[in-house]
Amino acid sequence: MAGIYIHIPFCRKACHYCNFHFSTSLHRKPALLEAIKQEIYTTVFPAGVVPERNIETVYFGGGTPSLLETEELVAILDAMKQNYQVNENAEITLESNPDDITEEKLSGWKNAGINRLSIGIQSFFEDDLKWMNRAHNAAQAKACIALSRQYGFNDLTIDLIYGTPTLTDQQWQDNVATALSLGINHLSCYALTVEANTALNHFIQKGKLPPVDEEKQGKHFELLVQWMEEAGFEQYEISNFSRPGHQSRHNSNYWSGKAYYGFGPAAHSFDGNKTRWWNIANNAIYSEKIMAGKTVFESEILTPVQRLNEIIMTSLRTMQGLDLTVIDKQIGQLSNTGMSRVNFYQQLEKNAAENLLTFEDDRAILTKKGKFFADGIASGLFL
């Protein structure tokens, strides 16, 4: 089965650190939503792709999809259900911001079939939120969680950012403790990163803000892992923690290499095999081309080596780790990789000797120490 991702590229404010595709102007919203529905109705797949029509997860991301009216979300879901078989027990997630969460919207979302909220809290401290240029305040950050639970949204996840200049070690501990005290079953926690073409990068380049403190970020991550383990959470992916049974099914499908289909500008898709495609990241051109019946995506065919390297990268980030029987089989199907096979296993043994990973039932799994260096370990294993 496959997942569907809907990209809603609108936000009320531009967060200083964000480099996702979005617009703070809503005047194109009606036309764009019509185009998204039209794209769903008349989906065009790259040559050779046989789509999977059974859908087990739906994810509204952005941008800020929670700023849509409930009727607009329902119209997109209706279009989806007319063209795909959305399973009765499908996980349907809506990314939401605290300032959008009201009793009226929560009731509407529940009636529409949305059963999981991903709330962009980022911090429970006012100074942090102002520094990030978030649209909500600290009081809203706490109140929206209690209100969501009141309306039956027990499957909640929140985002938190660590390593910001305004966040002390004690405040980071308080952020995590607050989330746990509010009954959160899933946390996605990310180190502050400086992306090109963001306000944050501009401010740092101009000397208006200090560079990212990597030592502080490393300490915050180490503390986070400790606290979540003590609270009974599983670190099922490097940045994601959940109580048992509360993992994100949609995001887990990404890491396990299942098919997913993206709709909306800048949305990405993958057929679960070797074909990847992505829509143009321009709201106006996307809408015009879709309504004119023109193609809005570019695509690529992954080589066997590229696909294998992706499996290495994504698998190592999960608690299940890298299935060496699968990797060995796929390496054996490649030509001229005798030396690469030797290098791969030598590098695995080197990482194990340095306590960066361990072997369990033909799987290579990162240790606590190894999780700090996940990307580097993965790239060192690439063929």
Side-chain angles (χ1 to χ4, degrees), residues 91-295:
E91 176 191 87
I92 303 180
T93 303
L94 177 75
E95 284 188 351
S96 50
N97 276 353
D99 47 299
D100 290 324
I101 296 178
T102 64
E103 293 192 49
E104 181 182 3
K105 281 198 168 182
L106 287 167
S107 177
W109 295 342
K110 197 71 176 177
N111 290 334
I114 292 164
N115 51 32
R116 184 173 184 272
L117 295 183
S118 175
I119 308 177
I121 299 291
Q122 314 310 351
S123 177
F124 292 103
F125 287 95
E126 204 70 47
D127 287 346
D128 236 15
L129 296 172
K130 288 179 179 178
W131 186 88
M132 297 180 205
N133 200 38
R134 296 291 293 172
H136 67 278
N137 58 41
Q140 288 173 316
K142 295 177 182 177
C144 72
I145 295 174
L147 190 61
S148 298
R149 292 177 65 84
Q150 182 181 324
Y151 273 80
F153 284 97
N154 297 315
D155 201 359
L156 287 177
T157 179
I158 68 170
D159 290 351
L160 294 176
I161 292 179
Y162 58 87
T164 62
T166 50
L167 189 69
T168 66
D169 294 352
Q170 183 59 54
Q171 286 175 325
W172 177 226
Q173 184 174 13
D174 290 344
N175 268 343
V176 175
T178 298
L180 296 176
S181 71
L182 291 169
I184 294 299
N185 291 318
H186 187 289
L187 278 174
S188 296
C189 301
Y190 304 101
L192 177 71
T193 54
V194 183
E195 304 286 355
N197 302 318
T198 62
L200 177 60
N201 183 59
H202 173 76
F203 293 151
I204 292 175
Q205 294 296 324
K206 294 293 184 180
K208 296 180 179 180
L209 289 176
V212 168
D213 186 340
E214 294 183 0
E215 183 176 343
K216 179 180 182 179
Q217 290 187 336
K219 182 179 181 181
H220 282 189
F221 179 74
E222 183 177 11
L223 289 170
L224 172 67
V225 172
Q226 174 189 327
W227 297 330
M228 299 314 291
E229 183 177 334
E230 291 171 352
F233 279 63
E234 297 174 332
Q235 187 179 12
Y236 71 100
E237 193 271 344
I238 293 292
S239 302
N240 288 273
F241 304 79
S242 75
R243 295 191 189 279
H246 291 275
Q247 297 182 2
S248 165
R249 287 160 55 191
H250 184 84
N251 289 339
S252 294
N253 288 349
Y254 291 151
W255 303 316
S256 61
K258 288 190 176 183
Y260 56 90
Y261 310 129
F263 299 98
H268 283 61
S269 304
F270 178 58
D271 71 343
N273 182 22
K274 61 180 180 180
T275 305
R276 190 183 309 285
W277 63 104
W278 56 94
N279 287 347
I280 188 170
N282 182 295
N283 292 355
I285 296 175
Y286 166 85
S287 298
E288 291 167 5
K289 284 194 169 186
I290 286 290
M291 300 312 287
K294 297 181 180 178
T295 300

